[in-house]
Short mmCIF file of all heavy atoms in Angstrom, two decimals:
data_model
loop_
_atom_site.label_atom_id
_atom_site.label_comp_id
_atom_site.label_asym_id
_atom_site.label_seq_id
_atom_site.Cartn_x
_atom_site.Cartn_y
_atom_site.Cartn_z
N ARG B 38 131.84 87.64 84.78
CA ARG B 38 132.88 86.88 85.45
C ARG B 38 132.24 85.94 86.45
O ARG B 38 131.10 86.14 86.87
CB ARG B 38 133.85 87.82 86.17
CG ARG B 38 134.53 88.79 85.23
CD ARG B 38 135.52 89.66 85.95
NE ARG B 38 136.58 88.85 86.57
CZ ARG B 38 137.73 89.37 86.99
NH1 ARG B 38 137.97 90.66 86.83
NH2 ARG B 38 138.65 88.60 87.55
N PHE B 39 133.00 84.94 86.84
CA PHE B 39 132.51 83.95 87.80
C PHE B 39 131.90 84.61 89.03
O PHE B 39 130.75 84.32 89.41
CB PHE B 39 133.67 83.03 88.20
CG PHE B 39 133.27 81.90 89.11
CD1 PHE B 39 132.88 80.68 88.58
CD2 PHE B 39 133.29 82.06 90.49
CE1 PHE B 39 132.52 79.63 89.42
CE2 PHE B 39 132.92 81.01 91.33
CZ PHE B 39 132.54 79.80 90.79
N SER B 40 132.64 85.51 89.60
CA SER B 40 132.18 86.13 90.85
C SER B 40 130.96 87.03 90.63
O SER B 40 130.17 87.22 91.54
CB SER B 40 133.31 86.92 91.48
OG SER B 40 133.88 87.80 90.52
N GLN B 51 129.91 78.50 95.80
CA GLN B 51 130.96 78.48 94.79
C GLN B 51 130.99 77.13 94.08
O GLN B 51 131.07 77.05 92.86
CB GLN B 51 132.30 78.74 95.47
CG GLN B 51 133.42 79.07 94.51
CD GLN B 51 134.72 79.32 95.24
OE1 GLN B 51 135.04 78.64 96.21
NE2 GLN B 51 135.46 80.31 94.78
N THR B 55 130.26 76.37 90.07
CA THR B 55 131.25 75.69 89.23
C THR B 55 130.63 74.47 88.56
O THR B 55 130.70 74.30 87.33
CB THR B 55 132.44 75.22 90.09
OG1 THR B 55 133.01 76.35 90.73
CG2 THR B 55 133.48 74.55 89.22
N ARG B 69 133.04 79.45 78.04
CA ARG B 69 133.96 79.77 79.13
C ARG B 69 135.26 80.26 78.54
O ARG B 69 135.90 79.55 77.76
CB ARG B 69 134.19 78.51 79.98
CG ARG B 69 135.18 78.68 81.11
CD ARG B 69 135.17 77.44 82.00
NE ARG B 69 135.99 77.63 83.18
CZ ARG B 69 137.26 77.24 83.26
NH1 ARG B 69 137.84 76.67 82.24
NH2 ARG B 69 137.94 77.44 84.37
N PRO B 77 143.86 85.49 87.96
CA PRO B 77 143.13 84.92 86.83
C PRO B 77 141.77 85.57 86.63
O PRO B 77 141.13 86.02 87.57
CB PRO B 77 142.97 83.45 87.21
CG PRO B 77 143.18 83.39 88.67
CD PRO B 77 144.09 84.51 89.00
N TYR B 81 132.19 84.27 81.39
CA TYR B 81 131.18 83.36 80.85
C TYR B 81 130.16 84.13 80.03
O TYR B 81 129.80 85.26 80.38
CB TYR B 81 130.46 82.63 81.98
CG TYR B 81 131.35 81.68 82.76
CD1 TYR B 81 132.07 82.12 83.86
CD2 TYR B 81 131.47 80.36 82.38
CE1 TYR B 81 132.90 81.26 84.57
CE2 TYR B 81 132.29 79.48 83.09
CZ TYR B 81 133.00 79.95 84.18
OH TYR B 81 133.81 79.09 84.87
P DC D 1 138.79 88.85 94.36
OP1 DC D 1 137.69 89.63 93.81
OP2 DC D 1 138.55 87.96 95.49
"O5'" DC D 1 139.42 88.01 93.16
"C5'" DC D 1 139.38 88.56 91.85
"C4'" DC D 1 139.53 87.42 90.89
"O4'" DC D 1 140.58 86.57 91.39
"C3'" DC D 1 138.28 86.55 90.76
"O3'" DC D 1 138.10 86.28 89.37
"C2'" DC D 1 138.59 85.29 91.56
"C1'" DC D 1 140.12 85.23 91.50
N1 DC D 1 140.76 84.66 92.73
C2 DC D 1 141.65 83.60 92.59
O2 DC D 1 141.88 83.13 91.46
N3 DC D 1 142.25 83.10 93.69
C4 DC D 1 141.98 83.62 94.89
N4 DC D 1 142.60 83.10 95.96
C5 DC D 1 141.07 84.72 95.06
C6 DC D 1 140.48 85.20 93.95
P DA D 2 136.76 85.64 88.78
OP1 DA D 2 136.63 86.05 87.39
OP2 DA D 2 135.67 85.91 89.74
"O5'" DA D 2 137.09 84.09 88.81
"C5'" DA D 2 138.13 83.61 87.97
"C4'" DA D 2 138.45 82.21 88.33
"O4'" DA D 2 139.06 82.16 89.64
"C3'" DA D 2 137.23 81.27 88.40
"O3'" DA D 2 137.52 80.08 87.69
"C2'" DA D 2 137.08 81.02 89.89
"C1'" DA D 2 138.53 81.06 90.33
N9 DA D 2 138.74 81.22 91.77
C8 DA D 2 138.04 82.00 92.65
N7 DA D 2 138.46 81.92 93.89
C5 DA D 2 139.51 81.02 93.82
C6 DA D 2 140.39 80.51 94.80
N6 DA D 2 140.33 80.84 96.10
N1 DA D 2 141.35 79.64 94.39
C2 DA D 2 141.41 79.31 93.09
N3 DA D 2 140.64 79.73 92.07
C4 DA D 2 139.70 80.59 92.52
P DG D 3 136.29 79.12 87.24
OP1 DG D 3 136.83 78.05 86.37
OP2 DG D 3 135.26 80.02 86.73
"O5'" DG D 3 135.75 78.44 88.59
"C5'" DG D 3 135.99 77.08 88.79
"C4'" DG D 3 137.41 76.87 89.27
"O4'" DG D 3 137.70 77.81 90.32
"C3'" DG D 3 137.64 75.51 89.89
"O3'" DG D 3 138.01 74.60 88.88
"C2'" DG D 3 138.78 75.75 90.87
"C1'" DG D 3 138.67 77.25 91.18
N9 DG D 3 138.30 77.57 92.55
C8 DG D 3 137.26 78.37 92.95
N7 DG D 3 137.18 78.53 94.25
C5 DG D 3 138.24 77.79 94.74
C6 DG D 3 138.67 77.57 96.07
O6 DG D 3 138.19 78.02 97.13
N1 DG D 3 139.78 76.73 96.14
C2 DG D 3 140.39 76.17 95.04
N2 DG D 3 141.45 75.39 95.27
N3 DG D 3 140.02 76.38 93.78
C4 DG D 3 138.94 77.18 93.71
P DT D 4 137.46 73.15 88.88
OP1 DT D 4 137.79 72.54 87.59
OP2 DT D 4 136.07 73.25 89.35
"O5'" DT D 4 138.28 72.39 90.03
"C5'" DT D 4 139.69 72.24 89.91
"C4'" DT D 4 140.19 71.60 91.19
"O4'" DT D 4 139.96 72.50 92.30
"C3'" DT D 4 139.49 70.29 91.54
"O3'" DT D 4 140.46 69.31 91.83
"C2'" DT D 4 138.64 70.64 92.76
"C1'" DT D 4 139.41 71.78 93.38
N1 DT D 4 138.58 72.73 94.16
C2 DT D 4 138.79 72.87 95.51
O2 DT D 4 139.63 72.24 96.12
N3 DT D 4 137.97 73.79 96.12
C4 DT D 4 136.99 74.56 95.53
O4 DT D 4 136.32 75.34 96.20
C5 DT D 4 136.82 74.35 94.12
C7 DT D 4 135.78 75.13 93.38
C6 DT D 4 137.62 73.47 93.50
P DA D 5 140.04 67.79 92.15
OP1 DA D 5 141.15 66.91 91.75
OP2 DA D 5 138.68 67.56 91.61
"O5'" DA D 5 139.93 67.78 93.74
"C5'" DA D 5 140.98 68.35 94.53
"C4'" DA D 5 140.80 67.93 95.99
"O4'" DA D 5 140.06 68.94 96.71
"C3'" DA D 5 140.02 66.62 96.16
"O3'" DA D 5 140.61 65.88 97.23
"C2'" DA D 5 138.61 67.09 96.50
"C1'" DA D 5 138.88 68.41 97.25
N9 DA D 5 137.82 69.41 97.09
C8 DA D 5 137.19 69.76 95.93
N7 DA D 5 136.29 70.71 96.09
C5 DA D 5 136.34 71.00 97.44
C6 DA D 5 135.63 71.93 98.24
N6 DA D 5 134.71 72.75 97.76
N1 DA D 5 135.92 71.97 99.56
C2 DA D 5 136.86 71.13 100.04
N3 DA D 5 137.59 70.22 99.38
C4 DA D 5 137.27 70.21 98.08
P DT D 6 140.09 64.39 97.53
OP1 DT D 6 141.30 63.59 97.85
OP2 DT D 6 139.17 63.94 96.47
"O5'" DT D 6 139.27 64.60 98.87
"C5'" DT D 6 139.80 65.47 99.88
"C4'" DT D 6 138.78 65.72 100.96
"O4'" DT D 6 137.91 66.81 100.57
"C3'" DT D 6 137.85 64.53 101.25
"O3'" DT D 6 137.92 64.24 102.64
"C2'" DT D 6 136.47 65.02 100.85
"C1'" DT D 6 136.62 66.52 101.06
N1 DT D 6 135.67 67.36 100.29
C2 DT D 6 135.03 68.40 100.94
O2 DT D 6 135.21 68.66 102.11
N3 DT D 6 134.19 69.13 100.15
C4 DT D 6 133.91 68.91 98.81
O4 DT D 6 133.13 69.64 98.21
C5 DT D 6 134.61 67.81 98.20
C7 DT D 6 134.37 67.50 96.76
C6 DT D 6 135.44 67.10 98.96
P DC D 7 137.24 62.89 103.24
OP1 DC D 7 138.19 62.25 104.16
OP2 DC D 7 136.63 62.09 102.15
"O5'" DC D 7 136.07 63.55 104.09
"C5'" DC D 7 136.38 64.63 104.98
"C4'" DC D 7 135.09 65.24 105.48
"O4'" DC D 7 134.51 66.04 104.43
"C3'" DC D 7 134.05 64.19 105.88
"O3'" DC D 7 133.60 64.43 107.22
"C2'" DC D 7 132.93 64.36 104.86
"C1'" DC D 7 133.12 65.79 104.37
N1 DC D 7 132.68 66.00 102.96
C2 DC D 7 131.86 67.09 102.65
O2 DC D 7 131.53 67.87 103.54
N3 DC D 7 131.47 67.27 101.36
C4 DC D 7 131.85 66.41 100.42
N4 DC D 7 131.44 66.64 99.17
C5 DC D 7 132.68 65.30 100.72
C6 DC D 7 133.07 65.13 101.99
P DG D 8 132.68 63.34 107.93
OP1 DG D 8 133.36 62.95 109.17
OP2 DG D 8 132.26 62.30 106.95
"O5'" DG D 8 131.39 64.20 108.30
"C5'" DG D 8 131.45 65.61 108.36
"C4'" DG D 8 130.08 66.21 108.09
"O4'" DG D 8 129.90 66.42 106.66
"C3'" DG D 8 128.92 65.32 108.54
"O3'" DG D 8 127.96 66.14 109.19
"C2'" DG D 8 128.37 64.73 107.24
"C1'" DG D 8 128.69 65.82 106.23
N9 DG D 8 128.91 65.34 104.87
C8 DG D 8 129.64 64.25 104.48
N7 DG D 8 129.66 64.08 103.19
C5 DG D 8 128.89 65.12 102.70
C6 DG D 8 128.55 65.45 101.37
O6 DG D 8 128.87 64.88 100.32
N1 DG D 8 127.75 66.59 101.31
C2 DG D 8 127.33 67.31 102.40
N2 DG D 8 126.56 68.37 102.17
N3 DG D 8 127.64 67.01 103.65
C4 DG D 8 128.41 65.90 103.72
#
Side-chain angles (χ1 to χ4, degrees):
Chain B
R38 301 183 60 163
F39 184 90
S40 51
Q51 193 180 40
T55 302
R69 178 172 186 265
Y81 294 89

